[in-house]
Amino acid sequence: MTLGVPSVMPQKTAKIGDLLRSGMPKFSFEMFPPRDEQADAVLWRTIRALEGQNADYVSVTYGAGGSTRQKTVETTERINSETTLLTMAHCTAVNHSIAELRNLIGHFANVGVRNILAVRGDPPGDPRADWVKHPDGVLHARELVELIKESGDFSVGVAAFPEGHPRDADWDTGVRHFVEKCRAGADFAITQIFYDVDDYLRLRDAVAAAGCDIPIVPGIMPVTNIKQIERFAVLTGMSFPEALAERLRAVADDRDAIRDIGVEVATDMGSRLLAEGAPGLHFTTLNHSRSTRRVWQNLRP
């Protein structure tokens, strides 16, 4: 990549924004870079299982404050070079200057990544802490979208928040900010995980009413661990239905029963979302795919 010159992809790969407008639901899976050899083995068992079942694409997350920057690039490159899967890399603005972001985007281009999820990101250490702009960085996600789009022929996704963004003053402000990201050049969006389908439909309809027709993919995570999902809800502000929590607590000592409930609920959600016209589903796997693959099999035509 030459500084100041838009990147040219080493090969033409599919754009997720185009795939999501094809009329057929697309199923995708979120991974995170492994921290050690054992985690690497777990990730690659999952990758191979998804490849064998023809997942539409996989995404690789980016640690808070860029803590997994190199591993994100390496993991994405390996998936690109060693599998047939389409990849999407996450890119966050936390603690990065514009120069560092350009360098990262160039790295993605060099390893064949054409699809990037642009998110402002959470402050490292405490997602609820005040967000501090890097002195030479960007303040808003829409600026990151603009930076990526001007850097090459990328398909750019953004985050969506069915229950509203925790930092927005109110619902309408959140919708306005989301639409601004889309008009900055985003091709599609993926939501934070949620457990009330009506929240997704409310967001989708509000965005459409604002004149934005971007595909919004619901983020789904089948529950496999009660404490894990409760902690996630605290960190993100996500609502977790009390009725579901009671069902899970009633079988708290039975891991298989918890997984079965998680698969049942996620399947029901996915079925309704697809019936309502969602362009696909994006599964948070935490690098384990057994439950998500069960849901996927339940929903595939």
Side-chain angles (χ1 to χ4, degrees):
M1 177 184 177
T2 302
L3 289 178
V5 177
S7 297
V8 177
M9 306 301 143
Q11 59 184 3
K12 285 292 185 181
T13 54
K15 288 186 172 183
I16 291 172
D18 294 338
L19 293 179
L20 294 172
R21 294 181 183 275
S22 69
M24 293 295 293
K26 303 302 176 184
F27 296 91
S28 53
F29 302 82
E30 181 178 294
M31 313 293 170
F32 61 83
R35 298 181 179 89
D36 52 40
E37 290 186 5
Q38 182 178 0
D40 186 73
V42 171
L43 169 65
W44 278 90
R45 281 197 298 271
T46 298
I47 289 290
R48 292 305 182 188
L50 295 173
E51 181 184 25
Q53 295 184 29
N54 298 316
D56 290 297
Y57 60 96
V58 297
S59 70
V60 181
T61 65
Y62 192 78
S67 58
T68 64
R69 171 178 174 157
Q70 188 58 37
K71 291 295 292 183
T72 298
V73 175
E74 290 173 357
T75 302
T76 309
E77 179 180 16
R78 187 178 172 195
I79 296 172
N80 266 2
S81 63
E82 297 184 19
T83 79
T84 59
L85 291 166
L86 178 65
T87 58
M88 174 178 71
H90 293 217
C91 178
T92 69
V94 177
N95 286 352
H96 285 330
S97 67
I98 289 177
E100 289 170 334
L101 290 169
R102 288 189 187 279
N103 182 266
L104 175 63
I105 295 163
H107 277 300
F108 285 142
N110 288 338
V111 300
V113 175
R114 197 180 191 189
N115 301 284
I116 298 178
L117 187 70
V119 293
R120 191 173 76 158
D122 294 322
D126 182 1
R128 295 170 295 180
D130 291 339
W131 202 91
V132 179
K133 175 183 175 292
H134 185 286
D136 299 312
V138 300
L139 180 60
H140 301 292
R142 69 173 181 272
E143 297 171 82
L144 182 57
V145 172
E146 292 168 348
L147 179 63
I148 297 170
K149 294 296 282 191
E150 72 184 26
S151 297
D153 186 23
F154 296 98
S155 183
V156 180
V158 292
F161 300 87
E163 298 175 75
H165 194 288
R167 296 180 188 274
D168 285 330
D170 52 43
W171 172 262
D172 291 335
T173 298
V175 171
R176 186 175 71 253
H177 288 167
F178 177 79
V179 171
E180 287 172 356
K181 290 191 294 187
C182 298
R183 290 177 176 160
D187 303 295
F188 62 97
I190 296 176
T191 77
Q192 178 178 279
I193 66 170
F194 60 93
Y195 289 91
D196 187 337
V197 172
D198 287 336
D199 287 334
Y200 169 84
L201 297 176
R202 180 189 180 202
L203 174 64
R204 181 200 63 184
D205 294 347
V207 171
C212 179
D213 66 348
I214 191 171
I216 302 176
V217 182
I220 303 292
M221 186 169 81
V223 177
T224 58
N225 182 300
I226 299 173
K227 290 183 179 179
Q228 185 181 69
I229 198 66
E230 288 178 337
R231 179 174 180 273
F232 189 87
V234 170
L235 289 175
T236 65
M238 175 196 75
S239 298
F240 193 64
E242 183 59 32
L244 176 55
E246 290 179 1
R247 286 186 66 191
L248 293 167
R249 293 187 192 113
V251 295
D253 297 325
D254 187 337
R255 293 180 64 185
D256 288 337
I258 291 172
R259 289 193 183 97
D260 287 344
I261 291 172
V263 169
E264 173 198 330
V265 170
T267 299
D268 289 345
M269 286 182 62
S271 179
R272 184 181 171 199
L273 286 162
L274 294 174
E276 290 280 0
L281 301 174
H282 187 70
F283 294 101
T284 297
T285 68
L286 302 180
N287 289 8
H288 295 270
S289 69
R290 186 167 70 174
S291 289
T292 52
R293 282 187 288 132
R294 286 174 61 191
V295 176
W296 184 24
Q297 290 296 330
N298 291 341
L299 294 171
R300 293 172 80 175

